[in-house]
Amino acid sequence: MSFVINPFCDRKPSQDETAARVFIDLLVKKDFAAAVASFDDTMKTAMPEAKMQETWNTVLAQVGAFKQSGKARTEKRGGYTIIIVTSEFENAKLDIKVVFDQGKRIAGLFFAPATNVEYAPPTYAKPDSLREKELTIGAGEWALPATLTTPIGPGPFPVVVLVHGSGPNDRDETVGANKPFKDLAWGLASKGVAVLR
């Protein structure tokens, strides 16, 4: 295998993490038939073997030869488990995001610049002038977790509702260290506008 195990970590990798690393290893070995065999039906249609090969070759053309996989982290979004494996290439580090559905099939694949930077609020936001509350909108099967950001004060306040796009997104629309929906919520709340996201 091409991935690296951290000798200073006694954490046993999850089944999903192991599957993500095996998938990346198949890409490195250019065994695209085996790689796409783990896709769900939607991914098989969107990215058949030839398209997977083209995508991987495009990645290599942009960042150079694959060197090794490093640390992995796990995120949960709805019914999806996202394994993010920071991988080193000749000219850059990328976060390879492998998205698993509840049936342990790959339902998404993303390549993004690696980021180890922690989130910092934008300069226009005034965290001491707002408060946040976790809510659930709806009930039962359609219950949707949400965050309400309100200005501190008596109100009433105008309200903006932010709705994320399709796929395994969170309510902050997180991409690496960027959280554009949180930035918007905090910025608007700093100006007297409540935001539900």
Side-chain angles (χ1 to χ4, degrees):
M1 294 275 172
S2 301
F3 57 84
V4 173
I5 301 296
N6 183 347
F8 303 106
C9 179
D10 59 3
R11 178 186 65 85
K12 182 179 178 183
S14 69
Q15 183 181 10
D16 290 328
E17 181 182 328
T18 300
R21 291 182 182 279
V22 167
F23 173 77
I24 293 168
D25 195 54
L26 291 172
L27 295 181
V28 171
K29 292 177 179 176
K30 301 192 178 208
D31 188 350
F32 302 109
V36 301
S38 57
F39 287 173
D40 70 4
D41 291 340
T42 302
M43 279 293 290
K44 284 180 180 175
T45 300
M47 190 170 287
E49 183 180 343
K51 183 69 173 174
M52 182 71 259
Q53 180 176 359
E54 177 186 337
T55 300
W56 182 248
N57 288 338
T58 299
V59 168
L60 295 179
Q62 291 175 355
V63 296
F66 178 87
K67 292 175 80 176
Q68 65 181 359
S69 289
K71 291 183 180 179
R73 62 189 188 276
T74 302
E75 295 179 3
K76 299 278 188 180
R77 296 197 190 148
Y80 297 96
T81 301
I82 306 165
I83 306 297
I84 304 163
V85 182
T86 301
S87 299
E88 186 179 349
F89 291 78
E90 188 174 19
N91 301 319
K93 287 186 177 180
L94 293 183
D95 281 340
I96 302 177
K97 299 180 183 185
V98 185
V99 182
F100 292 95
D101 63 17
Q102 291 176 332
K104 304 297 184 190
R105 307 293 286 172
I106 294 177
L109 176 64
F110 305 92
F111 300 91
T115 176
N116 296 322
V117 180
E118 294 296 319
Y119 172 78
T123 56
Y124 53 79
K126 298 177 182 130
D128 56 344
S129 70
L130 57 92
R131 64 179 157 240
E132 291 196 318
K133 180 179 179 181
E134 299 299 312
L135 304 171
T136 301
I137 308 297
E141 180 183 357
W142 304 108
L144 182 66
T147 302
L148 178 64
T149 307
T150 56
I152 294 175
F157 306 107
V159 178
V160 172
V161 178
L162 301 177
V163 180
H164 64 73
S166 63
N169 298 311
D170 66 13
R171 69 189 82 156
D172 293 332
E173 284 285 291
T174 302
V175 177
N178 301 304
K179 297 179 180 288
F181 274 19
K182 186 171 188 173
D183 291 351
L184 285 168
W186 284 26
L188 288 168
S190 297
K191 296 290 187 182
V193 178
V195 179
L196 179 69
R197 66 185 193 279

